[in-house]
Amino acid sequence: MRETVIAILSEICPGVDFDKETALIDDGLVDSLDIVTIVTELMSTFDVEITVDDLQPENFNSVDAIVALIEAARNS
Amino acid sequence: MERIDDYAVLAPLLSQQLRRGVYTNHFMAPQDYPAALAEGLAVEVFDGGLWISRDRGDHVLLTFYLQQGAALPMPHCAKRAVTEVVWREGREAEAREALTQLEELGWQRLFERCRRLRPAAPSEGVGWESTAPPEAVLDFLGEHFDPLTGCLPSLERLRQQCRAGEVVTLGEGEQLWGVLHFQPGRTGSEIRHLAVAASHRGRGVATALLEEYLRRTGGAKSLVWARAGNAPAEAFYESRGYRRDGWRSAVLTVDGKDETNL
């Protein structure tokens, strides 16, 4: 799952070392304006429901946080 | 448009729009909705999307979700409406499609804006308190920015921001020479308004305001949207370390249609 998430992020925001970064939103590597695009790609790829309540910047600061969001959505 | 007062009603409507290929210029975080609902928020659901309207007194600020392949209808607004289509350069296909549809509906493109970023960098200075009354600041902003497209804050909001130190002013009493109004974010801030009175241009007022703003924000990352083609503003920011970061937008407007007599 991690590699797929990185591939999605790299397509939307090229040139970022997603494997290591842990402050993607806070450091501006991923813009908050990108979050809807990222979310809709994640929902489609992993077949999960993510709601507007999940559109919190802290859920998108790292690949690990995004993976946790997807896993929470799968278990909800 | 249907007025919404309860986030619990709004949230599912927004969540339904989160589908692959959707274009949106609606970028609010969940914690921003209580204030927006209190100020007046309405929605209009259509086949393949959603209009969201926020009341701004004599006009409304519209945002929307547009699903891939859907057609954007003219929203039912009694007041003049403004919207801003935003895109990241290199990924503008959906935004361009939305722009085309808006213009075909009769929306008028007023201008485009580019975003610039100044990375975090140390900032020094002695600093000063800004004691200008919020009413004078709002009058000043009203004189220097279009009430339709200038995103002017409400007086109440400006009072809060003056108390929080988010308004930097230079002047004597209520006679203002320049104002810089900013919005803090999680790890940086955004300049929302910067203007200098015509009588005081060329005297370093804008530079002094910017330096004080950077001091107050601890030299944190700073963003600013400047009108494309406004050479003096672009040169000012470029010479102070701001660089285009790839985000661009187009601001459009359309007249309202009062349908109460139809």
Side-chain angles (χ1 to χ4, degrees):
Chain A
M1 180 190 293
R2 207 169 190 283
E3 288 68 28
T4 308
V5 169
I6 290 173
I8 290 171
L9 293 172
S10 299
E11 170 68 21
I12 296 170
C13 308
V16 178
D17 185 354
F18 287 105
D19 200 31
K20 294 180 180 169
E21 295 289 349
T22 57
L24 294 170
I25 300 290
D26 289 348
D27 286 349
L29 300 170
V30 172
D31 201 279
S32 57
L33 306 181
D34 286 315
I35 287 180
V36 169
T37 306
I38 293 169
V39 160
T40 54
E41 287 296 322
L42 295 173
M43 289 172 65
S44 179
T45 303
F46 295 104
D47 193 22
V48 293
E49 284 295 315
I50 296 175
T51 72
V52 71
D53 292 322
D54 298 316
L55 305 187
Q56 304 278 2
E58 53 266 30
N59 285 338
F60 301 90
N61 253 335
S62 68
V63 172
D64 288 340
I66 294 171
V67 168
L69 177 67
I70 296 166
E71 288 178 341
R74 277 184 169 168
N75 296 328
S76 64
Chain B
M1 289 282 177
E2 178 188 355
R3 171 80 186 245
I4 303 278
D5 297 311
D6 186 353
Y7 177 69
V9 175
L10 177 65
L13 295 174
L14 298 172
S15 294
Q16 285 166 14
Q17 297 299 324
L18 298 178
R19 298 209 298 261
R20 177 184 264 174
V22 70
Y23 171 78
T24 187
N25 58 357
H26 185 76
F27 303 114
M28 288 175 66
Q31 60 269 25
D32 297 333
Y33 284 104
L37 290 165
E39 288 179 357
L41 186 147
V43 301
E44 184 174 322
V45 180
F46 59 89
D47 187 14
L50 178 72
W51 282 106
I52 301 122
S53 166
R54 281 176 281 165
D55 193 67
R56 290 291 182 269
D58 62 351
H59 67 279
V60 291
L61 177 62
L62 292 185
T63 49
F64 59 88
Y65 287 84
L66 179 65
Q67 299 296 333
Q68 203 165 33
L72 199 59
M74 187 65 97
H76 294 85
C77 289
K79 296 181 181 179
R80 173 170 280 275
V82 177
T83 193
E84 184 166 19
V85 177
V86 183
W87 65 91
R88 180 197 277 273
E89 286 169 340
R91 291 185 61 84
E92 59 262 63
E94 293 90 353
R96 291 282 178 202
E97 170 62 24
L99 269 176
T100 299
Q101 291 198 27
L102 286 166
E103 291 184 317
E104 286 175 356
L105 287 169
W107 289 71
Q108 179 191 0
R109 194 185 308 204
L110 298 175
F111 53 85
E112 294 195 3
R113 303 200 299 167
C114 297
R115 199 172 75 172
R116 284 176 170 78
L117 164 70
R118 177 189 181 275
S123 182
E124 299 173 352
V126 291
W128 74 83
E129 295 288 320
S130 297
T131 55
E135 293 81 358
V137 173
L138 191 56
D139 285 347
F140 185 89
L141 293 178
E143 290 168 13
H144 293 85
F145 292 92
D146 186 329
L148 186 65
T149 59
C151 299
L152 299 177
S154 67
L155 181 57
E156 183 54 37
R157 177 75 185 124
L158 199 56
R159 283 196 180 107
Q160 296 169 1
Q161 293 193 290
C162 284
R163 283 197 294 271
E166 296 161 8
V167 180
V168 187
T169 63
L170 267 179
E172 288 179 334
E174 295 190 9
Q175 189 66 41
L176 295 176
W177 307 336
V179 169
L180 189 154
H181 165 229
F182 66 95
Q183 176 77 46
R186 284 161 55 86
T187 58
S189 63
E190 180 178 327
I191 297 174
R192 302 305 300 272
H193 300 94
L194 170 57
V196 176
S199 59
H200 283 73
R201 288 182 190 152
R203 302 187 191 184
V205 172
T207 299
L209 292 169
L210 187 72
E211 287 176 353
E212 171 60 7
Y213 150 68
L214 293 172
R215 189 196 65 80
R216 289 188 192 184
T217 55
K221 180 183 76 175
S222 170
L223 294 167
V224 65
W225 286 90
R227 192 178 295 209
N230 181 348
E234 291 179 328
F236 174 80
Y237 288 117
E238 291 281 337
S239 68
R240 285 152 183 86
Y242 287 80
R243 296 289 179 266
R244 283 180 60 174
D245 72 352
W247 285 92
R248 196 173 173 95
S249 73
V251 177
L252 302 98
T253 187
V254 72
D255 283 335
K257 286 186 178 172
D258 187 346
E259 298 177 342
T260 55
N261 294 326
L262 294 179

